[in-house]
Amino acid sequence: MCYKFMLKGNQYGLGIIMKLIIGGCCQGKLQYVYRTSGLLQDAVLYGVENKYKTDEIQIPVEGTWIWNDFQDWFQKMLEERKDPETTADQLLIDHSNIIIICDEIGNGIVPLSIEERLYRERLGKYLCSLAERAESVERILCGLSQKLK
Amino acid sequence: MLFLLLGGSGSGKSAYAEELVKSLQHKESLYYVATMESDSAEAKDRIDKHRRLRDGKGFITLEYPIHVENAVKEIQSKENIMLLECVSNLVANTFFAEDDYWKQAELDEIAKKITGKIKNLSLNTKHLVAVSNNIFEDGIKYDESVIKYQKLLGRVNCLLAEDADVVVEIVCALPVVWKGTLPLANITQ
């Protein structure tokens, strides 16, 4: 029953197969994903790349792909006065075999500029909503993983 | 054994490290390898205060802001327990030192070199407790040299964690174990 529902869900883009990897910067998150998923560099889309526009994302490979430096993409979208949450949600519906890697950015002093504050808050909130939908959530510290979900 | 303790500022990681070292001790001498540079009155005050606190606890203090490998020359035997505080200062002192080699060398190479020094200390001790800092979660984009420093410290932490028997994150003075097991559960804070 459950399985059928999953299949149906996927068919209509509702069953999301997404893994979320979070952690501070420079903690070896991407290396960790390479090590545990067997995926290679060609499966990686970086947060900000010149070859694509922020809201015209090109999926790097068929099948499971890695969205690295998600926070950079999110911030750039905000800078461009676009809506990162809706764009990412749509992308997840269309291409849900995905591992999202995102820096934790909320554990510092409240930034002075409104843009920085909004970036921090909206990304934090969006990560909560991703975590809710994710199949698994892991936090990486110095290359080690802690399973949160 | 090699212990790696990580935590943010004010997380209580220093106090926890000292407790851990005391709980590991039977008859071994205790060494404290301090990496903070005493280049200002404020730093000197801080160092004096910490040293007085530790002397009461039986630590022999050795000061090595960069060349921690030389601490080995000062220890009597391998039957000792050493507390290295902290890796982030060691990395900063090394990285920001006026030495062209460090500026040109690849980050990975520097990281391996610094980690090698710490591993060598570990080989010359019964237990080494290395304390490092979590400076990676504020989301601020610093200037290039600071980003390089973050990358370097992140790499050193990863390499140390790979080799460590036990990796513990300290949050509000409480241990979160990421790897291995703490040898004693009776550490009270």
Side-chain angles (χ1 to χ4, degrees):
Chain A
M1 189 72 183
C2 218
Y3 182 61
K4 265 186 186 167
F5 174 76
M6 283 285 291
L7 275 180
K8 194 178 169 195
N10 274 335
Q11 197 180 339
Y12 293 99
L14 295 169
I16 285 176
I17 304 164
M18 179 249 301
K19 291 180 179 174
L20 181 61
I21 305 281
I22 55 156
C25 64
C26 318
Q27 297 302 300
K29 294 191 288 299
L30 182 58
Q31 293 306 318
Y32 174 81
V33 170
Y34 284 153
R35 209 163 62 234
T36 51
S37 70
L39 293 172
L40 301 169
Q41 283 168 340
D42 63 349
V44 181
L45 181 87
Y46 287 87
V48 176
E49 286 185 55
N50 290 329
K51 64 183 179 203
Y52 70 87
K53 285 185 185 166
T54 47
D55 50 357
E56 287 171 17
I57 287 167
Q58 292 150 25
I59 309 304
V61 284
E62 290 282 321
T64 309
W65 58 287
I66 304 167
W67 200 349
N68 192 34
D69 291 332
F70 181 79
Q71 75 285 344
D72 288 344
W73 172 81
F74 197 95
Q75 187 174 29
K76 186 124 189 275
M77 284 287 282
L78 290 178
E79 276 168 21
E80 294 168 358
R81 312 250 169 241
K82 291 171 188 163
D83 180 359
E85 291 93 342
T86 312
T87 310
D89 279 348
Q90 189 55 47
L91 206 78
L92 284 176
I93 290 169
D94 298 340
H95 311 272
S96 64
N97 284 321
I98 178 174
I99 302 172
I100 297 180
I101 303 177
C102 186
D103 281 1
E104 284 206 78
I105 60 153
N107 296 338
I109 293 166
V110 179
L112 284 175
S113 82
I114 179 78
E115 288 83 8
E116 291 274 326
R117 283 203 297 281
L118 274 178
Y119 160 54
R120 246 175 39 140
E121 264 184 45
R122 279 177 68 173
L123 179 58
K125 287 266 151 45
Y126 191 62
L127 284 179
C128 296
S129 101
L130 282 182
E132 209 178 314
R133 288 174 279 168
E135 179 188 75
S136 69
V137 182
E138 288 175 88
R139 186 179 159 228
I140 306 298
L141 183 73
C142 54
L144 303 170
S145 149
Q146 184 183 46
K147 194 131 190 165
L148 300 181
K149 179 179 168 179
Chain B
M1 284 174 85
L2 174 59
F3 295 82
L4 176 63
L5 300 190
L6 298 144
S9 81
S11 59
K13 57 187 185 301
S14 302
Y16 190 88
E18 285 183 23
E19 288 297 318
L20 175 64
V21 167
K22 293 298 280 185
S23 78
L24 292 168
Q25 185 191 31
H26 296 290
K27 286 179 182 168
E28 300 85 353
S29 349
L30 302 182
Y31 290 100
Y32 182 94
V33 179
T35 57
M36 188 186 250
E37 213 134 26
S38 54
D39 52 1
S40 70
E42 191 189 336
K44 280 199 179 79
D45 273 359
R46 217 180 139 94
I47 288 168
D48 280 349
K49 198 179 116 202
H50 278 238
R51 177 178 282 180
R52 276 198 303 277
L53 279 173
R54 283 193 311 271
D55 282 349
K57 292 174 182 167
F59 280 95
I60 302 159
T61 301
L62 310 174
E63 280 184 41
Y64 288 100
I66 294 179
H67 298 289
V68 285
E69 66 276 18
N70 291 336
V72 173
K73 294 175 190 160
E74 294 199 45
I75 56 177
Q76 304 290 334
S77 84
K78 287 187 180 183
E79 281 300 295
N80 71 82
I81 301 173
M82 192 180 273
L83 172 51
L84 171 67
E85 187 155 16
C86 60
V87 176
S88 43
N89 262 330
L90 172 66
V91 171
N93 293 338
T94 309
F95 183 66
F96 292 112
E98 288 301 317
D99 185 343
D100 282 346
Y101 169 74
W102 298 114
K103 283 176 191 151
Q104 288 162 15
E106 291 292 323
L107 280 181
D108 249 18
E109 197 183 317
I110 309 172
K112 277 183 193 146
K113 189 151 181 166
I114 296 173
T115 314
K117 288 179 179 184
I118 298 170
K119 282 183 197 164
N120 192 45
L121 280 185
S122 162
L123 291 176
N124 285 283
T125 56
K126 191 171 175 190
H127 300 297
L128 175 69
V129 177
V131 177
S132 194
N133 229 300
N134 191 348
I135 53 151
F136 307 101
E137 295 176 5
D138 65 6
I140 298 172
K141 299 233 172 15
Y142 294 95
D143 66 40
E144 202 193 328
S145 68
V146 180
I147 291 174
K148 265 191 173 171
Y149 166 68
Q150 281 183 316
K151 281 186 180 161
L152 182 59
L153 181 58
R155 194 79 198 100
V156 169
N157 284 350
C158 286
L159 289 171
L160 282 176
E162 241 176 79
D163 264 44
D165 300 285
V166 181
V167 179
V168 182
E169 182 191 16
I170 308 298
V171 186
C172 326
L174 297 169
V176 180
V177 178
W178 285 76
K179 182 181 180 184
T181 354
L182 280 169
L184 291 170
N186 63 350
I187 299 174
T188 48
Q189 182 45 45

